Amino acid sequence: GHHYMYALHALDPGRGRPEQLRCPRPGGIHGHPRAQLEGRLTEADSLYRISVASITNRGPMLGALYENRATTNLALGSIDSTAVFIQKSFEIMGESDDYWAVEARVRGARGDREGAVRALERLIQLNPKHADAPEIARLLGLEYLARQLKPTNP
């Protein structure tokens, strides 16, 4: 099975608030998950890149590293890089709730609201309790859905 950690996910550029996302914990170099959690995003991405280069097979570890590069680049506001890395992760590991959460944010950032809503719908099908679903719904103007997914904290 996968080992998981909480890694920094998307920083909503308007608010700069870190979200938490469950990401597989990469092995080998242990510095990058901490760097990502502490917000040293450029350093974290560089370490993920080195880890990707050191992996010889296209198994779950590589897919997990690509997913981590996607979430790090999303936090850095690099939407094009995020799209590339989440697609590479998808090609190795297939769809997951985390894949659709990142994909919804990428599509939304690119102005594809319809595509973002479809990605959010798939995310909710796979995991209606996903931590990012309410915020993604809010970013898409679906306040009623955000309230259904999770009560707003006071």
Side-chain angles (χ1 to χ4, degrees), residues 70 73-74 77-87 106 109-110:
N73 276 269
L74 186 61
S78 306
I79 298 303
D80 290 344
S81 296
T82 301
V84 167
F85 294 128
I86 202 63
Q87 185 59 36
V106 167
R110 288 179 162 172

Side-chain angles (χ1 to χ4, degrees), residues 28-153:
I29 301 170
H30 297 294
H32 41 310
R34 174 168 291 171
Q36 192 173 354
L37 275 170
E38 291 175 358
R40 300 194 313 276
L41 299 172
T42 305
E43 177 187 346
D45 189 54
S46 177
L47 290 164
Y48 287 134
R49 184 169 38 79
I50 292 164
S51 295
V52 165
S54 71
I55 292 178
T56 53
N57 66 6
R58 289 177 57 81
M61 182 63 70
L62 183 60
L65 284 167
Y66 279 133
E67 185 177 286
N68 283 345
R69 287 207 74 188
T71 57
T72 305
N73 276 269
L74 186 61
L76 286 165
S78 306
I79 298 303
D80 290 344
S81 296
T82 301
V84 167
F85 294 128
I86 202 63
Q87 185 59 36
K88 285 176 183 269
S89 174
F90 174 79
E91 287 166 8
I92 294 167
M93 304 201 310
E95 73 169 347
S96 68
D97 54 353
D98 290 339
Y99 165 78
W100 286 112
V102 174
E103 190 64 21
R105 289 181 185 270
V106 167
R107 292 177 187 187
R110 288 179 162 172
D112 177 9
R113 186 178 185 281
E114 193 177 305
V117 170
R118 282 198 310 271
L120 175 61
E121 287 170 349
R122 185 64 184 142
L123 163 63
I124 293 166
Q125 280 180 346
L126 291 173
N127 181 3
K129 297 187 185 307
H130 193 283
D132 282 0
E135 183 175 352
I136 293 168
R138 275 193 197 89
L139 290 172
L140 294 171
L142 305 172
E143 188 60 42
Y144 70 94
L145 181 57
R147 282 195 302 272
Q148 288 173 14
L149 290 168
K150 189 167 125 189
T152 307
N153 292 327

